[in-house]
């Protein structure tokens, strides 16, 4: 399974294409077939999953949710804006206008590796998010990362 780490900044071109960092592309398994699934995520960012990780993990989890009005709405919202994005020969993916609008992406894009997926942010929004996230020590201890 792919593991993504680090932060990278790029610009989106006029056609809605953005580079995926070479380090992230190299982490893809052959089962991903050079394809990412890009979906909306909490915090007004996007999550970028290798296709195999999405299909075996997140999509399977969504399919197993019980039929409730909230779960049905969640699935509808996620699947209505989801895209399959194949890497082009220059290592870029194309974003839909819908996803760019959701994430507020117009030009500068920040990608953050978060283990099994990538977060894609409008750079200004990411900077605001990390500043507004508060004191790192509080986040660290609240998150339960105190085990050695």
């Amino acid at each position: 399974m792919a593991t993504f780490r680090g932060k990278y900044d790029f610009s989106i071109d006029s056609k809605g294409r953005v580079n995926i960092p070479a380090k992230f592309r190299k982490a893809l398994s052959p089962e991903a077939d050079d394809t990412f699934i890009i979906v909306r995520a909490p915090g007004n960012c996007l999550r970028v999953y290798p296709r195999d990780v999405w299909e075996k993990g997140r999509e399977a989890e969504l399919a197993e949710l019980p039929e409730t009005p909230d779960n049905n709405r969640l699935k509808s919202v996620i699947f209505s804006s989801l895209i399959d994005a194949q890497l082009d020969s220059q290592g870029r993916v194309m974003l839909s206008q819908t996803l760019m609008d959701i994430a507020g992406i117009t030009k500068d894009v920040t990608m953050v590796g978060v283990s099994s997926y990538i977060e894609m942010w409008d750079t200004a929004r990411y900077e605001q998010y990390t500043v507004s996230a508060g004191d790192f020590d509080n986040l660290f201890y609240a998150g339960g990362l105190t085990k050695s």
Side-chain angles (χ1 to χ4, degrees), residues 62-146:
L62 286 167
E64 293 174 7
L65 290 174
E67 288 272 327
T68 67
D70 285 343
N71 288 344
N72 291 344
R73 184 171 171 221
L74 174 64
K75 289 185 228 181
S76 179
V77 168
I78 288 175
F79 283 100
S80 68
S81 59
L82 172 151
I83 62 169
D84 290 58
Q86 180 121 25
L87 288 169
D88 70 11
S89 60
Q90 295 180 20
R92 302 172 299 192
V93 294
M94 183 173 295
L95 299 178
S96 68
Q97 188 62 51
T98 299
L99 288 175
M100 289 191 301
D101 291 345
I102 287 167
I105 294 172
T106 56
K107 183 174 173 86
D108 297 322
V109 177
T110 296
M111 289 187 218
V112 180
V114 187
S115 190
S116 64
Y117 62 88
I118 302 161
E119 288 182 343
M120 189 181 294
W121 293 83
D122 170 77
T123 298
R125 212 176 250 187
Y126 180 73
E127 289 170 4
Q128 182 181 20
Y129 173 76
T130 55
V131 169
S132 69
D135 178 65
F136 177 77
D137 290 351
N138 289 335
L139 288 172
F140 184 87
Y141 292 115
L145 293 177
T146 57

Side-chain angles (χ1 to χ4, degrees), residues 50-61:
R51 187 177 72 186
D52 58 324
V53 171
W54 171 261
E55 290 173 350
K56 294 174 188 170
R58 289 307 212 181
E59 190 169 51
E61 289 174 14

Side-chain angles (χ1 to χ4, degrees), residues 3-19:
T3 300
F4 304 105
R5 298 182 185 114
K7 175 182 162 285
Y8 301 87
D9 294 312
F10 291 97
S11 293
I12 195 158
D13 72 13
S14 62
K15 295 181 181 179
R17 297 175 299 199
V18 64
N19 282 336

